[in-house]
Amino acid sequence: MLMTEVTRNGTAIQEFILEGFPAAEHLGILLFLVHLLAYLASLVGNMLIITMTCEDHRLHTPMYFFLSTFSFVECCFITTVIPQLLTIFLSGKQKISFGACFTQAFVFLFLGATVFFLLAVLSLDRYLAICKPLHYHTIMNPRMCIFLVTVCLVLGFLLMAIPVVMLSRSFYCGPNVIPHFFCDFGPLASLSCSETRSIKMLFFNFALIVLFASLLIAVFAYSNIVVTIVRLPSARERQRAFSTCSSHLIVLSLMFGSCIFIYIKPKQSSRLDTNREAALVNTVVTPLLNPVIYTLRNKQVHQAFRDALSRVKLHRYHGKNALSS
């Protein structure tokens, strides 16, 4: 009777417990070190892209503007969950307040949706650069670039805010253990004592819009790019165009594959255990690989990086001479 009154008037649960990876608790220190290194490498790699884009005038192009924005959003995205994951590896299960849990879920999903929309914009940018080179700079002017980034942020915010806010208003009477290393929509919906079928379906439809809208744009862009590359007369031109786009395709495959596995299925509670491993792909593996994938075969970035190193060495040389004199 008391429980009925509590759930009728509001939520009974004031905090959640993040379970993390109980089967791997004996490997806590090792996993902490591995994920800490991956997290720091991701931050450094993405910050290097942002810094080089700002400092080198040769990288002041629409593609690098979108790429640096993508890198910044990804830094925020992984910082939403990885520090908590590191704490779980060190200390075991972690408590998180009701408000903080839903805030984390919203920020994670908002930034994640924004990342997918930015990937779609990067695909369109490559399509225009390769398939419509004469109109590229006219279409992708600075105003259009800022507009596209703003649209990505607004769409990500609106599509994720609605289902998360609706879910936060449902009743939670117990249990309060989340079988995950952060607050994600599926585990939270499974713990609710209210009827959440309509909210789950709304989230499912919004996730479908985010993933498949960006996927369709990417498929359209790269299918046209492939046709254009095949028609190029020079083998060298074909190789250069393909090397520019192949890195984008690798990122798209990793991101879409793991997120479709996690979110695009009607029964969110059916595979929560495997979702934890799949979530690591998006929050640890892909952010670690993205800076490498996007810059590994890019001569402009290589040259900008070499020039930056040369400037640092020259600055140190003049500094030593000034001290010696």
Side-chain angles (χ1 to χ4, degrees):
M1 185 69 181
L2 179 62
M3 183 61 72
T4 305
E5 282 298 315
V6 171
T7 56
R8 193 173 292 166
N9 296 326
T11 180
I13 291 177
Q14 299 301 317
E15 63 183 17
F16 293 101
I17 297 173
L18 295 167
E19 189 178 47
F21 297 89
E25 282 184 357
H26 60 289
L27 299 172
I29 299 298
L30 176 62
L31 290 173
F32 169 81
L33 292 173
V34 169
H35 288 80
L36 176 63
L37 289 174
Y39 175 58
L40 292 176
S42 300
L43 289 180
V44 170
N46 282 299
M47 291 306 296
L48 274 175
I49 290 175
I50 296 168
T51 304
M52 286 190 294
T53 302
C54 293
E55 294 294 327
D56 199 303
H57 69 278
R58 289 167 298 187
L59 302 183
H60 292 175
T61 63
M63 187 184 87
Y64 290 104
F65 171 74
F66 295 132
L67 185 57
S68 60
T69 305
F70 176 84
S71 295
F72 175 75
V73 173
E74 193 159 70
C75 284
C76 299
F77 174 72
I78 60 175
T79 301
T80 306
V81 296
I82 298 302
Q84 194 163 57
L85 174 63
L86 296 174
T87 307
I88 289 172
F89 283 140
L90 280 182
S91 309
K93 296 177 182 179
Q94 288 296 304
K95 292 181 179 180
I96 183 169
S97 69
F98 186 90
C101 190
F102 274 95
T103 301
Q104 183 188 52
F106 165 69
V107 173
F108 175 81
L109 293 169
F110 156 55
L111 294 175
T114 303
V115 163
F116 277 99
F117 287 131
L118 286 172
L119 284 172
V121 168
L122 275 166
S123 303
L124 278 178
D125 175 78
R126 290 302 82 207
Y127 162 72
L128 290 171
I130 294 172
C131 302
K132 310 284 183 183
L134 297 178
H135 304 288
Y136 175 66
H137 291 288
T138 305
I139 298 171
M140 283 296 182
N141 55 67
R143 183 177 294 179
M144 177 58 72
C145 293
I146 293 170
F147 172 75
L148 288 172
V149 170
T150 304
V151 168
C152 292
L153 290 166
V154 170
L155 283 176
F157 181 91
L158 292 176
L159 290 173
M160 295 298 109
I162 295 170
V164 172
V165 169
M166 289 175 66
L167 185 64
S168 69
R169 291 179 177 176
S170 62
F171 298 131
Y172 286 85
C173 56
N176 67 336
V177 178
I178 299 175
H180 213 315
F181 60 89
F182 68 96
C183 296
D184 201 2
F185 188 90
L188 283 172
S190 300
L191 291 178
S192 175
C193 299
S194 304
E195 176 54 57
T196 58
R197 187 179 303 172
S198 60
I199 302 174
K200 287 178 182 178
M201 190 53 62
L202 179 67
F203 176 77
F204 175 80
N205 290 331
F206 282 171
L208 206 64
I209 290 170
V210 171
L211 292 174
F212 281 95
S214 49
L215 180 61
L216 286 173
I217 292 170
V219 169
F220 164 79
Y222 284 107
S223 58
N224 280 278
I225 287 170
V226 169
V227 171
T228 304
I229 289 173
V230 170
R231 291 176 179 173
L232 290 174
S234 168
R236 188 174 182 180
E237 286 179 347
R238 287 197 297 270
Q239 184 180 3
R240 191 173 72 174
F242 181 75
S243 65
T244 304
C245 298
S246 59
S247 57
H248 298 194
L249 289 171
I250 295 170
V251 173
L252 284 168
S253 301
L254 286 170
M255 293 286 289
F256 281 110
S258 57
C259 276
I260 288 172
F261 177 83
I262 296 170
Y263 296 109
I264 304 302
K265 55 181 185 290
K267 293 184 178 180
Q268 285 288 332
S269 59
S270 59
R271 300 203 307 243
L272 290 177
D273 289 334
T274 50
N275 280 1
R276 275 180 289 200
E277 284 73 23
L280 286 175
V281 176
N282 273 344
T283 55
V284 179
V285 179
T286 308
L288 176 63
L289 294 177
N290 280 351
V292 179
I293 290 171
Y294 274 114
T295 60
L296 187 63
R297 304 171 73 177
N298 195 308
K299 292 180 180 178
Q300 284 179 302
V301 175
H302 291 175
Q303 188 59 49
F305 186 65
R306 282 195 292 267
D307 290 348
L309 286 177
S310 299
R311 285 195 296 270
V312 170
K313 289 178 181 178
L314 189 63
H315 180 73
R316 285 181 178 177
Y317 175 75
H318 287 309
K320 286 180 180 179
N321 283 345
L323 288 173
S324 61
S325 60

